[in-house]
């Protein structure tokens, strides 16, 4: 049995939410070596690294998987999780033939949404396990809160997510930071009129009746909304995480017990070491009649126009030689939601190797 003491550095799971326009994306961009999955084009004015905007739930999940497998950054930023939830809703609607995500059937649709969002959080945890920090950005919303043992109700800031999804995101995170403008109310002693002043951007790190927040860095309850305010605590929590393993100092040099390596002749040029191929995928020509979410998946998986049409014909979805312009939108929606099945049909019954 192994027993350890002291703090264990690890990649951090941070949820950052706040009111509109306060600078959440800018704050998130200051985490080390940040790479954005920008679901709402909020970083187009910023000098940051980003994936193409995900146009489907499958594409978003592929981007997270790419980060886990290839480790192209030290921090992955989902900006924002509430827009990602909207992409997830469209995915479920297309996959199940639903016209909306609502409480029909005793909340079955909201439960399905929470399950699918949970899959995203599980995949983000896998990113954490390989030493990459994850920052989840979200908008804030005001919701009326009523306590059964108190008189009346009050407004409370919460994550702008569905009621079954928000608790999952909060429980998943190590730190939930809430940002808003601090406003001071001044009262004129002569006229008793009130005037709002101030507007300083503030960050709140602990739970209050008026908002959700938590942290494991022993931060003060209230701080200016600046990355410098958490930089030291973040660095201490992640020291050494995601860094290459260093050889311990003063290691003895191995004795020359093995034969010396054979050197190439003077006229020969040594071959370079093989390097992983991160070059862009070859361009796939996409017919403009194909919706962009499906087109993006085709480009990612190198599926040509002729191949997707063969999937439609061989799969029995439409008669052979049906023009692409006559493919109904709900069939494209089905492919978007069941892309793995379409690719499997392509690989097993259409492509020849």
């Amino acid at each position: 049995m192994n027993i350890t003491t002291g703090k264990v550095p690890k990649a951090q799971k941070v949820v950052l939410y706040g009111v509109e326009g306060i600078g959440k994306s800018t704050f998130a961009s200051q985490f080390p070596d940040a790479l954005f999955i920008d679901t709402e084009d909020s970083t187009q004015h910023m000098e940051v690294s980003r994936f193409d905007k995900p146009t489907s739930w499958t594409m978003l999940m592929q981007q997270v998987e790419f980060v886990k497998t290839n480790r192209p950054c030290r921090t992955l930023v989902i900006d924002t999780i509430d827009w990602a939830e909207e992409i997830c809703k469209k995915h479920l609607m297309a996959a199940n033939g639903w016209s909306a995500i609502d409480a029909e059937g005793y909340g079955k649709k909201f439960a399905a949404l929470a399950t699918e969002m949970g899959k995203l959080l599980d995949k983000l945890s896998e990113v954490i396990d390989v030493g990459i920090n994850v920052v989840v950005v979200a908008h804030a919303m005001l919701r009326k809160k009523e306590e059964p043992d108190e008189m009346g109700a009050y407004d409370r800031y919460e994550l702008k997510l569905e009621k079954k999804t928000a608790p999952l995101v909060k429980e998943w995170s190590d730190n939930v930071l809430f940002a808003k403008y601090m406003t001071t109310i001044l009262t004129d002693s002569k006229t008793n009129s009130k005037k709002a002043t101030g507007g300083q951007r503030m960050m709140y790190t602990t739970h209050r009746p008026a908002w959700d927040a938590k942290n494991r860095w022993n931060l003060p309850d209230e701080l200016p909304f600046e990355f410098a305010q958490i930089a030291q605590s973040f660095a201490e929590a992640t020291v050494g995480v995601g860094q290459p393993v260093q050889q311990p100092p003063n290691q003895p040099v191995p004795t020359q017990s093995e034969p010396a390596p054979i050197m190439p002749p003077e006229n020969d040029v040594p071959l370079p070491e093989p390097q992983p191929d991160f070059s862009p995928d070859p361009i796939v020509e996409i017919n403009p009649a194909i919706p962009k979410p499906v087109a993006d998946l085709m480009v990612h998986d190198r599926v040509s126009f002729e191949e997707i049409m063969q999937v439609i014909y061989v799969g029995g979805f439409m008669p052979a030689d049906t023009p692409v312009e006559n493919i109904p939108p709900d069939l494209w929606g089905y492919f978007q939601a069941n892309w793995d099945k379409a690719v499997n049909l392509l690989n097993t019954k259409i492509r020849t190797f």
Side-chain angles (χ1 to χ4, degrees):
M1 294 291 182
N2 185 41
I3 299 175
T4 62
T5 60
K7 298 180 180 179
V8 178
K10 70 180 188 70
Q12 296 292 290
K13 296 181 282 190
V14 180
V15 171
L16 173 65
Y17 80 112
V19 298
E20 193 73 28
I22 199 167
K24 300 181 290 295
S25 299
T26 300
F27 190 101
S29 71
Q30 296 176 68
F31 282 84
D33 189 21
L35 172 62
F36 279 73
I37 297 179
D38 186 350
T39 61
E40 58 171 277
D41 293 331
S42 59
T43 66
Q44 290 187 343
H45 65 290
M46 299 166 57
E47 289 289 340
V48 298
S49 299
R50 66 181 73 82
F51 285 107
D52 291 342
K53 180 180 177 179
T55 52
S56 68
W57 184 247
T58 301
M59 183 176 177
L60 191 153
M61 296 290 274
Q62 288 174 340
Q63 291 172 340
V64 177
E65 179 67 24
F66 179 89
V67 171
K68 184 190 80 170
T69 303
N70 296 284
R71 307 186 191 185
C73 60
R74 292 175 58 195
T75 303
L76 174 63
V77 181
I78 308 292
D79 188 5
T80 62
I81 191 69
D82 35 294
W83 279 57
E85 187 185 51
E86 291 301 314
I87 297 174
C88 186
K89 288 179 181 179
K90 294 177 181 177
H91 168 80
L92 290 172
M93 289 161 60
N96 297 283
W98 297 338
S99 59
I101 299 289
D102 52 31
E104 181 185 354
Y106 303 97
K108 180 178 69 175
K109 295 178 183 178
F110 285 124
L113 176 64
T115 298
E116 198 66 31
M117 291 294 289
K119 294 178 183 178
L120 171 61
L121 296 176
D122 289 343
K123 191 165 286 291
L124 292 175
S125 292
E126 294 174 5
V127 172
I128 291 289
D129 290 341
V130 300
I132 296 174
N133 307 296
V134 176
V135 177
V136 172
V137 180
H139 295 98
M141 63 177 291
L142 277 173
R143 179 172 282 154
K144 191 69 69 176
K145 180 75 171 179
E146 295 192 29
E147 298 290 350
D149 57 345
E150 295 183 9
M151 297 291 292
Y154 58 91
D155 288 333
R156 173 181 174 79
Y157 284 103
E158 297 181 2
L159 296 171
K160 193 178 179 182
L161 296 168
E162 298 292 351
K163 288 185 177 181
K164 288 184 179 292
T165 306
L168 296 177
V169 175
K170 289 185 292 185
E171 291 165 11
W172 168 85
S173 65
D174 297 315
N175 305 275
V176 178
L177 308 177
F178 169 60
K180 75 179 186 73
Y181 295 100
M182 175 185 285
T183 304
T184 303
I185 305 299
L186 301 179
T187 303
D188 190 309
S189 58
K190 295 181 180 179
T191 63
N192 203 33
S193 62
K194 299 182 184 298
K195 179 181 179 182
T197 187
Q200 182 182 1
R201 298 185 307 155
M202 299 298 295
M203 170 172 51
Y204 301 91
T205 67
T206 54
H207 178 84
R208 296 283 181 87
W211 56 75
D212 286 318
K214 67 176 182 180
N215 82 91
R216 295 178 178 173
W217 299 332
N218 293 322
L219 296 172
D221 295 345
E222 181 180 301
L223 292 165
F225 186 51
E226 302 166 356
F227 183 78
Q229 300 291 328
I230 68 166
Q232 182 63 34
S233 298
F234 176 82
E236 292 173 358
T238 59
V239 60
V241 174
Q243 302 299 320
V245 177
Q246 301 293 328
Q247 186 72 12
N250 302 323
Q251 293 293 313
V253 178
T255 58
Q256 192 71 20
S257 56
E258 53 278 314
I262 299 175
M263 301 301 293
E266 291 183 2
N267 294 334
D268 289 352
V269 179
L271 295 175
E273 290 292 328
Q275 298 294 324
D277 182 13
F278 291 115
S279 58
D281 290 342
I283 296 175
V284 176
E285 294 293 336
I286 303 296
N287 189 294
I290 298 177
K292 191 174 189 312
V294 177
D296 288 339
L297 295 173
M298 290 172 61
V299 171
H300 181 275
D301 289 323
R302 307 182 187 185
V303 176
S304 69
F305 171 72
E306 292 75 16
E307 287 176 328
I308 195 65
M309 296 306 293
Q310 284 299 309
V311 169
I312 292 173
Y313 304 148
V314 174
F317 297 100
M318 297 291 291
D321 300 325
T322 300
V324 65
E325 293 79 8
N326 293 349
I327 305 299
D330 58 346
L331 181 55
W332 291 124
Y334 174 83
F335 284 138
Q336 176 186 333
N338 298 275
W339 185 248
D340 291 343
K341 295 179 181 179
V343 173
N344 181 64
L345 175 62
L346 176 64
N347 289 333
T348 57
K349 294 189 177 182
I350 298 172
R351 284 176 171 168
T352 56
F353 299 93

